[in-house]
Each structure stands twice: as C-alpha cells, then as structure tokens.
Amino acid sequence: MQSRKKIIEIQHLKKIYPSKNAPILALSDVSFDVYEEEFVTIVGQSGCGKTTILKIIAGLLPKTEGTVLLGGQPVTGPRASSGIVFQQPVLFKWRSVLDNVLLPIEILRRNRGDYLQAALDLLELTALTEFKDRYPRELSGGMQQRVSICRALIHDPPVLLMDEPFGALDAMTRSEMNVELLRIWSERRKTSILITHSITEAVFLADRVIVMTPRPGMIADIVEIDLPRPRLAETRVSPRFNELVQVIGRKIGLKYI
Amino acid sequence: MSDRLQTIITSVVTIVVIFVLWEIGVRLFNIPEFLVPTPTAVLAKMAEKASLFSMHFYVTLYETLLGFLLGVVIGIACASVIVYSRFLANVIFPVIVILQIVPKVAIAPLFLIWFGYGWESKMLIAFLIAFFPIIVNTVSGLRSVEPEMIELVRSLEATNWQIFRKVRLPNSLPYIFSGLKISITLAVIGAIIGEFVGGNEGLGYLIIVANFELDTPLMFGSLVLLSLMGLVLYGIIELLERLLIPWSTTEEEKVVAVGM
C-alpha cells in the first residue's frame, strides 16, 4: 500500500467558519493521505466536518490552514480533476438522462461526440441504457443516483468524491447501491472518497475507514479494512465484518452497536 | 383523453346554454337593444361591420404584442442583471417598485402627451403593465436554483456565463412562463387603457365610439373580439410552454389535474 502513489495529501488541515459572534472550528488538525485507486470512506456523526473536508478537496471551499494536495498540486479552487456525487442526485430536470451524463463535457467545452460512446458505456454499466432518453423525474431515487455517478465519471477524473450518496435512499436500495458502486469501482478504478454516517456502509466499501469525532472535527483513527474483494452481500454477515463495525463504532464513541 | 373531451363538451354546452338563455331573456322581457342586445344581434353586427372590426382588432393586437415582447425582453434582461449584481439590483428595484405602485391608468394620459396619440404610447402602456410579472417571476426563477447544482458545475470550472446559460436560465423557464401567461392578458388591458385615453384606432377606441353613439351591439362585438384575443394569446403561450419545456413539473401537475 505504502509504495503506491499518493493522489491526495492532507496535512494539518484546519477550517474555521467565520461568524460574527463565535467563529466555528469545523476541522482541527486533520491529516491523511489517499493512494491511487484506493477507496477511502470517512465516517462520523453529523457535524464532524466530513462534508467540509470533501468540499475543500473539491476546491469548493477555502481552507483556513494546512496543506491540501491533489495529484501533487495544491488545491486553490475548483479543478475538473474530481467527479462529485452529492447526497441528492442533483440532476438537471430539463435534460434527458444521457444529456445529464454529458453535462460535464459541455461545461469543460470538450467535444460531445467524443464522449457519447463513453456515456452509453457508463449507462450500460449502471443498467440505465433503456432510460437514456427519459427525464430524471421519470426515474426512481436509486436510478437517479446511478445517473449522477455516471455524470461524475464521464470526464474520466482521477478522483471520485461522494458525499453521503446513498443517504436519501431507503435501506434496501442503499445496500443494493453499495454492491453496485463496488462493481462500478472495480471496472473503473478511481481514487475514491465516500462520506457516510453509516458504519456498515463505510466498512463494506472501503480499503481504509477514516473515523472522525465531532466538534471540532478530528480524526479519531484510521482503520484498515482487510476484508477480501470482491465484496458481495454475504460479506455483511461475515464475523470479521461485524468485528470491524464494532471497532469503528467504539472509536466514534457509540455505546451501543 | 375522454375525460378531457368531456371537460370540453361541458364547457361548450354551458356557454351555449348561457347564450340561449340570454337570447330568450332579452326577447321575452323586451329589453331595448341599447341596453342589452341579443347574441344574434351582436353576431349580425360583427358580420355587417367585419372589415371595421378586423381593422381595429389588428391595431390592438399589434400594440399588445409589441408591448408584451418589449416586456419579455426588458423584463428578462432586468431580472438577469438583478440576480447578478447587488448594486444594480439596488438601483433597479426602487424604480420598478415605484412604476408598479403608480396606477397605470393614471399615467396613461401622460404617456399620450409624451409619446403621441399613435400606437407607440399604447405599446408602452402595455409594456409597463406586462413587465412586472415577467421580472418578478424571472428573478425568483433565476434565484431558485439548488445550491448543489451551482457547486457541481463550479467544480467543473464553469464560467459565470455557463452557470447562467446551463443552470439558472433553464431552471427559471417554468417561472418565466407563468409570468408570461399573466403578462399577456395584462398587455391586452394596457393597450385598451391607452386607446380609451386617446387616439383613433383599436378596439378600445371602438368601444368609446360605440358608447357615444349608444351602439351597444358594436360595443359587445368589440368585447367579444377582445376576449377572443386574450384567450388565443394565452393559449399560444401555453402551447409554447408545452413545446419548449415538456419536462416542467407544473405541466405534469396540470396533466394530472386534467386526468382526474
């Protein structure tokens, strides 16, 4: 693992949200690295600054102190080198599924024709081919989120950033989507960071889980997940899986798991 | 679809019944024509004076459409400026509010002094009255974008123009269209106000003439044409909405409502 290339390097990251009365310390001294093609999940309770970390990596939010490197370059603003998936699908309701997937290509002023096949391949990969001409409102929540994953991957960014992408889905769809995401990820090996407040989701997906404690957001520990891949639905009932879930739960500070 | 057909049939039958009762009532009680003419008398008048009616109809239509189009262009442009510049918003908003507070009927005579008795003053009154719903709806449409949509395109290094063109503008279209639907009927009213105040053309002018001559069938004929104009213009906007933004959820709700 350590011999691999570091794609994201974060050192002593600090974020203070300015406020008139009392500035809010959202992140305090956060340091971690993410290696090429690694899948890292960040887990923690609400308000531990998970989303803040992701937005700083994406260049959507300025940091207060510390170093954030993406592909060896300091992050100073948004760069197209990351694909983003939000909690809500954030699909453009006036665009068909295919046009939604191709949106980044238009924004990046690249030739749409060059990416049409790539878009169709992604829709094929996510079993959405027959819905390519539909409007988002005609799709279920899980399907919409699959479209938004396709959209995040279309310009082939080296990094995939996901902010609780399955948080708005029901439990059954959510576990299906976890398996689905790993399938996509095994086909398109991207360096991935996924934020979640579900410990089982964090363990199921990750090579490493970054455990955060709230107020101010700090890293409690980073746990290596040694579960074999490919991980399937059965993985969730293995003893090692449950052991890891319990370990992480305790680190977060939960009394009952 | 059969439900829709039923709705149409019900409406048509209702209108026909009203006209028949009207005809019978007027004849039965011997109401003089200068008070209430029968529908058949109105139709006869319209047929007799067809060329007169059509000439004035086109004048009013012309003033209405020009005023409306001016309202669309300036309304959407002002709204875009307001959304992008806090300073210009502070400059433009008080002016708009003042313009909206002043009763349009009351400033119509002023417009006639400034812009003459021709179509220009009528167009400008139509514009002034049609402008407000467009700007208000466009501003709220441009502003009601999910923040994540902006973040998403910003993460792809989108320019401000791209954010406007690819996110804000399409997002605002359903709002703009509901503004247009209000404005088109208001534009007709604006043109008529102008014609009432002064001039020698248009259906508003024809109504004033009919009033002086106590030619009530002529007046009713003008009213029928004015209503038709408003109805058809509204229908055209709605058709455009259906064609241009088939994805709109308001459209979806409408279909559902008709379906029920």
Side-chain angles (χ1 to χ4, degrees), chain A:
Chain A
M1 180 75 71
Q2 304 300 324
S3 62
R4 280 202 277 168
K5 203 171 128 195
K6 286 177 185 173
I7 294 291
I8 297 167
E9 295 163 73
I10 296 176
Q11 272 147 30
H12 309 297
L13 176 63
K14 186 175 180 181
K15 176 68 186 175
I16 299 171
Y17 284 107
S19 155
K20 270 178 198 153
N21 307 324
I24 299 154
L25 180 62
L27 292 175
S28 166
D29 198 19
V30 169
S31 302
F32 66 91
D33 298 326
V34 183
Y35 298 91
E36 190 169 24
E37 295 188 1
E38 192 184 14
F39 201 131
V40 166
T41 56
I42 303 177
V43 68
Q45 289 167 291
S46 310
C48 71
K50 301 175 298 226
T51 301
T52 304
I53 294 180
L54 205 75
K55 286 193 173 169
I56 291 173
I57 297 172
L60 290 170
L61 209 60
K63 61 180 190 292
T64 308
E65 273 175 36
T67 321
V68 179
L69 302 179
L70 185 62
Q73 303 276 320
V75 174
T76 49
R79 265 192 296 161
S81 46
S82 47
I84 300 181
V85 180
F86 296 94
Q87 179 168 4
Q88 300 297 329
V90 199
L91 297 179
F92 289 26
K93 54 182 181 278
W94 53 88
R95 287 170 165 260
S96 69
V97 166
L98 183 63
D99 287 342
N100 265 290
V101 174
L102 285 166
L103 174 82
I105 301 307
E106 286 175 34
I107 301 293
L108 294 167
R109 298 178 197 280
R110 295 188 194 165
N111 182 4
R112 200 183 136 99
D114 295 346
Y115 286 86
L116 191 61
Q117 194 51 50
L120 293 171
D121 289 347
L122 279 168
L123 290 173
E124 173 89 52
L125 181 66
T126 49
L128 288 165
T129 305
E130 57 178 310
F131 299 99
K132 68 182 170 63
D133 298 320
R134 301 286 189 91
Y135 286 114
R137 64 175 156 89
E138 300 174 278
L139 272 55
S140 70
M143 288 158 85
Q144 291 189 10
Q145 200 53 285
R146 296 210 302 266
V147 176
S148 86
I149 293 170
C150 291
R151 181 181 57 192
L153 293 172
I154 184 67
H155 58 297
D156 203 22
V159 176
L160 186 58
L161 303 173
M162 292 167 279
D163 186 3
E164 292 190 38
F166 310 127
L169 301 176
D170 64 84
M172 267 188 277
T173 315
R174 187 170 188 158
S175 22
E176 269 178 24
M177 288 295 292
N178 282 339
V179 179
E180 183 93 342
L181 179 63
L182 283 186
R183 195 170 62 77
I184 298 168
W185 179 74
S186 63
E187 293 252 343
R188 314 275 162 115
R189 288 288 214 169
K190 298 279 174 211
T191 308
S192 303
I193 300 183
L194 182 141
I195 284 176
T196 180
H197 52 243
S198 156
I199 300 171
T200 51
E201 186 172 85
V203 172
F204 183 75
L205 295 171
D207 293 318
R208 281 187 301 152
V209 175
I210 296 174
V211 185
M212 306 242 344
T213 52
R215 284 185 212 90
M218 282 195 292
I219 294 181
D221 202 355
I222 299 181
V223 182
E224 294 267 348
I225 305 298
D226 49 13
L227 296 166
R229 290 188 190 270
R231 294 179 193 162
L232 303 162
E234 297 83 69
T235 310
R236 289 200 190 88
V237 290
S238 71
R240 181 63 186 146
F241 181 85
N242 287 312
E243 204 178 309
L244 286 163
V245 168
Q246 300 225 358
V247 166
I248 291 168
R250 267 186 228 105
K251 287 185 195 295
I252 289 176
L254 298 179
K255 287 200 182 89
Y256 310 101
I257 301 165

Side-chain angles (χ1 to χ4, degrees), chain B residues 205-224:
Chain B
Y205 165 75
L206 202 60
I207 289 174
I208 298 291
V209 170
N211 190 23
F212 282 133
E213 295 174 359
L214 274 184
D215 189 346
T216 322
L218 187 69
M219 205 183 273
F220 269 88
S222 310
L223 287 176
V224 169

